[in-house]
Amino acid sequence: MLSSLVNKYNVAGPRYTSYPTVPYWDSNTYSLDKWKRSLITAFNESNAKEGVSLYIHLPFCESLCTFCGCHKRITKQHSVELPYIDAVLSEWQLYLKLFDETPIIKELHLGGGTPTFFSPEHLTRLIKGILRDARLADHFEFSFEGHPNNTTVAHLKALYDLGFRRVSYGVQDYNPTIQKAIHRIQSFDQVKQATEQARAIGYTSVGHDLIFGLPHQTMEHVRETILKTKELLPDRLAFYSYAHVPWIKGVGQRGFNESDLPSPALKRQQYEMGKQLLAEVGYKEIGMDHFALETDALYKSMVAKTLHRNFMGYTASKTQVMIGLGVSSISDSWYGFSQNVKAIENYYALIEQDTLPVYRGHILNQEDLIIRRHILNLMCQFQTSWKSSDLYFDELPDALIDLKEMENDGLIEIGATDITITEKGRPFVRNVCMAFDLLLKRRQPDTKLFSMTI
């Protein structure tokens, strides 16, 4: 039964870290001045109440992992560190000039690339430079992505002293053949050492990122990786479906043949087996592709219905304003999105001109805002409602008709004023969201834009 549903619903679709999704941003709605105004409005509405989130993109890696779809620059020259840190701090100053009061930072996340490519000293310079002109919320969360091979005790101590309490290590899979195919070679002992070092220093949440559907990956490979993961019992897990998007420039996903990838049905079996093994030791499924122990803040936020999703993925609390610093970073004011230029040279040039280094974005209209709320509800709570009139939209009856077959398959339950995704339907949450995605329905892409949903 699962296999037939996978075959039926495995189509290309967005992961919905935003709505509208990036390919459907309308440049006609956007300008730098409009973006600034939307950000100032959102900041004034929310800073004192909930603070702001910061995402800082640190793009450098010493080697290319061929599963990665992130924007990165491959180099072994660490002389690039300090100029980049100083440019990010200059960008932060450009944002500070827009605000009449001191930002209160609720969340700060270092992503990449490989944040631990940077030395502890340069990371300290970065964070101290950010905090010099900001205040911290009462319950703030600082987190970073670490590579098990180069996250040293010095990294962990320096960031801990700055307020970091959560680290996420990219593991992917422990099988040597798979690691060679994706060019990400690290032993279980290296991951174990990095995990134990973080806990010994005092980190309260250590996460691991795992991927299923990788080249050459079998059911037994996934089983072995999950069993090793259970030995270390990370506080939270991301268990992602490998997104095969080789048509995107620079992702490096040509190191293996299409025939080396598991079938969609096998991928789903890998996930279901992994989920079962994780459930046996107390992990709870959070939204899409995420798991956490009951002691972790991500699980507690799901129970409290404060779970949020944005360009950083799932987060334990919502802020209306998320500012992205660094190349390719995306910012969110709730009313608008804005993305930075992707080339480091262009980024530096705009910073030197005292100009925010953005190159595209989207200002949301009233319809966008309504659909965004529905998709967030579905992605975070597996349900949404239009009982409140401000969540009704004219095309809703059409969306319900589109969802009827999913209801017949037992994947959702449609009420008079609400939809609930069933336990059986959770693997298909992206498909449910697509029924609400008016922009996607009005203009189907004629080129490859998205990974497969299953």
Side-chain angles (χ1 to χ4, degrees):
M1 181 63 177
L2 176 63
S3 177
S4 64
L5 289 173
V6 168
N7 290 334
K8 184 176 183 178
Y9 292 109
N10 189 35
V11 297
R15 297 190 65 83
Y16 291 112
T17 49
S18 74
Y19 183 84
T21 57
V22 175
Y24 287 90
W25 287 359
D26 185 353
S27 60
N28 294 321
T29 71
Y30 178 83
S31 69
L32 180 56
D33 285 341
K34 288 180 180 178
W35 161 242
K36 288 179 179 179
R37 289 199 297 271
S38 81
L39 183 63
I40 292 168
T41 297
F43 180 86
N44 291 339
E45 289 175 351
S46 65
N47 183 53
K49 184 169 55 179
E50 61 185 23
V52 304
S53 298
L54 290 184
Y55 171 78
I56 304 176
H57 191 71
L58 302 174
F60 300 109
C61 301
E62 287 197 344
S63 63
L64 175 67
C65 302
T66 59
F67 64 87
C68 178
C70 300
H71 296 288
K72 63 272 181 184
R73 177 70 63 90
I74 308 302
T75 181
K76 294 185 183 295
Q77 302 301 315
H78 286 262
S79 58
V80 300
E81 293 183 33
L82 189 56
Y84 188 81
I85 293 294
D86 287 345
V88 168
L89 292 175
S90 295
E91 183 187 1
W92 176 232
Q93 289 298 316
L94 293 175
Y95 275 107
L96 291 174
K97 291 176 183 178
L98 301 177
F99 307 139
D100 292 331
E101 60 185 58
T102 302
I104 301 171
I105 298 179
K106 178 72 174 291
E107 294 177 312
L108 186 151
H109 182 71
L110 304 180
T114 306
T116 46
F117 173 97
F118 290 76
S119 71
E121 294 76 20
H122 287 153
L123 292 175
T124 298
R125 179 187 180 96
L126 170 65
I127 302 305
K128 284 188 173 180
I130 295 290
L131 298 182
R132 185 173 57 244
D133 298 301
R135 293 189 292 129
L136 293 176
D138 291 338
H139 302 287
F140 66 91
E141 181 179 89
F142 287 2
S143 58
F144 74 98
E145 297 167 12
H147 193 314
N149 289 356
N150 67 11
T151 302
T152 65
V153 170
H155 281 110
L156 291 165
K157 284 182 176 178
L159 291 171
Y160 182 87
D161 290 343
L162 292 164
F164 286 75
R165 295 296 181 269
R166 185 166 70 81
V167 56
S168 178
Y169 292 119
V171 175
Q172 325 321 337
D173 188 285
Y174 286 112
N175 180 266
T177 299
I178 298 169
Q179 289 187 356
K180 183 178 179 180
I182 64 175
H183 204 230
R184 178 63 174 252
I185 298 172
Q186 60 206 7
S187 69
F188 173 74
D189 287 341
Q190 287 170 308
V191 177
K192 180 180 180 181
Q193 176 177 277
T195 299
E196 291 177 346
Q197 286 172 341
R199 285 176 167 155
I201 287 169
Y203 284 78
T204 55
S205 181
V206 179
H208 289 181
D209 291 351
L210 309 178
I211 298 180
F212 62 95
L214 288 168
H216 308 295
Q217 197 176 45
T218 66
M219 291 286 284
E220 189 56 32
H221 294 145
V222 174
R223 181 188 300 276
E224 290 173 357
T225 292
I226 296 291
L227 291 177
K228 283 184 167 66
T229 299
K230 286 165 65 174
E231 289 183 41
L232 302 180
L233 213 63
D235 300 275
R236 66 175 71 171
L237 283 164
F239 188 31
Y240 293 115
S241 168
Y242 165 60
H244 190 57
V245 288
W247 56 85
I248 297 178
K249 182 181 178 182
V251 299
Q253 295 183 351
R254 290 296 188 191
F256 41 83
N257 297 321
E258 301 278 336
S259 59
D260 296 328
L261 297 170
S263 68
L266 178 56
K267 281 180 68 177
R268 201 64 227 170
Q269 291 170 19
Q270 291 175 343
Y271 180 80
E272 294 298 330
M273 179 188 66
K275 181 171 75 169
Q276 179 60 37
L277 291 171
L278 293 171
E280 290 173 3
V281 289
Y283 284 99
K284 304 296 183 182
E285 191 171 16
I286 311 291
M288 181 181 73
D289 302 335
H290 285 68
F291 297 82
L293 299 175
E294 292 185 1
T295 52
D296 192 80
L298 202 63
Y299 172 77
K300 294 176 181 178
S301 70
M302 183 186 72
V303 173
K305 296 189 180 299
T306 58
L307 188 68
H308 185 55
R309 184 170 174 82
N310 56 27
F311 286 102
M312 294 190 290
Y314 284 107
T315 64
S317 61
K318 172 188 173 294
T319 62
Q320 186 171 332
V321 172
M322 189 192 84
I323 297 174
L325 303 175
V327 291
S328 80
S329 288
I330 297 177
S331 298
D332 178 0
S333 68
W334 186 259
Y335 305 116
F337 301 115
S338 190
Q339 184 172 21
N340 281 357
V341 294
K342 298 177 183 180
I344 292 174
E345 294 77 11
N346 293 348
Y347 177 75
Y348 287 164
L350 289 167
I351 294 295
E352 289 174 1
Q353 297 168 24
D354 287 334
T355 300
L356 286 178
V358 302
Y359 83 104
R360 65 173 174 177
H362 179 91
I363 303 300
L364 283 74
N365 59 31
Q366 191 59 35
E367 176 188 279
D368 294 337
L369 291 168
I370 292 172
I371 301 303
R372 181 181 189 181
R373 288 175 64 186
H374 283 298
I375 287 177
L376 270 175
N377 289 342
L378 291 166
M379 293 296 291
C380 295
Q381 306 298 334
F382 294 118
Q383 65 82 37
T384 193
S385 168
W386 51 94
K387 185 178 296 184
S388 172
S389 60
D390 63 347
L391 283 176
Y392 186 86
F393 57 100
D394 290 341
E395 289 88 344
L396 179 61
D398 295 331
L400 298 180
I401 291 172
D402 292 343
L403 288 168
K404 193 65 181 175
E405 191 163 0
M406 296 191 80
E407 183 181 40
N408 294 338
D409 286 331
L411 306 181
I412 60 173
E413 296 173 352
I414 302 177
T417 58
D418 59 62
I419 287 176
T420 300
I421 300 175
T422 65
E423 183 73 25
K424 178 182 175 183
R426 288 187 176 191
F428 306 93
V429 59
R430 290 165 70 183
N431 301 76
V432 180
C433 291
M434 288 167 68
F436 284 80
D437 189 337
L438 299 183
L439 297 176
L440 178 65
K441 292 167 77 171
R442 291 169 186 161
R443 182 165 57 90
Q444 288 290 326
D446 52 13
T447 59
K448 291 182 176 180
L449 293 178
F450 306 114
S451 62
M452 303 304 280
T453 56
I454 309 298

